[in-house]
Amino acid sequence: MADRECTAENYRALGVFPETVADLAPHPARKLTSAQRRVLAAAFATAADAAARRNPGSFVYPSVKNEPGLRGGRVAFGDVIALDDVRYVRDLPVNGTVTLSSDGRATATLTAETGGHTHDIRMTWTAFSTTPTLTGTFDDIPIN
């Protein structure tokens, strides 16, 4: 990762973790329905949570190779971060990969399953930021 001053702004204190997709505020993507925006928010939270475990300011996580998702599934760390049925919220399993670049960008290629439908999600954001700007697509619909 690129050298950065320690601003302590790379963690978002939540107080409690959401339990379901409905507990998350919808992402503000204008071209998506309200339901799609909530799924996007949950998929992003899942990917960002997995990426946070590779925070360059952490002394614990760099040696960890596998961990459970918050509410299920498995996160594996190697050249990429692999998500296998990871559940940040109970009702949305997420699969795919997250790649962290040396300039602090995270890129995710994911599938998220809800209501019997699988959504393809591609997104990029500034990793380890409390105010990430998300770009990409949700089922080929631009999210920025």
Side-chain angles (χ1 to χ4, degrees), residues 39-52 75 79-83 86 94-101 104-112 119-127 133-141 143:
V39 170
L40 176 60
F44 172 67
T46 305
D49 181 63
V75 182
D79 291 338
V80 299
I81 301 168
L83 287 72
V86 175
V94 176
N95 292 285
T97 60
V98 178
T99 304
L100 297 171
S101 68
R105 300 291 293 165
T107 301
T109 302
L110 308 171
T111 59
H119 299 282
D120 291 314
I121 303 167
R122 311 275 186 264
M123 58 184 140
T124 302
W125 70 96
T126 302
T133 300
L134 192 60
T135 61
T137 60
F138 182 96
D139 290 336
D140 294 323
I141 302 167
I143 58 177

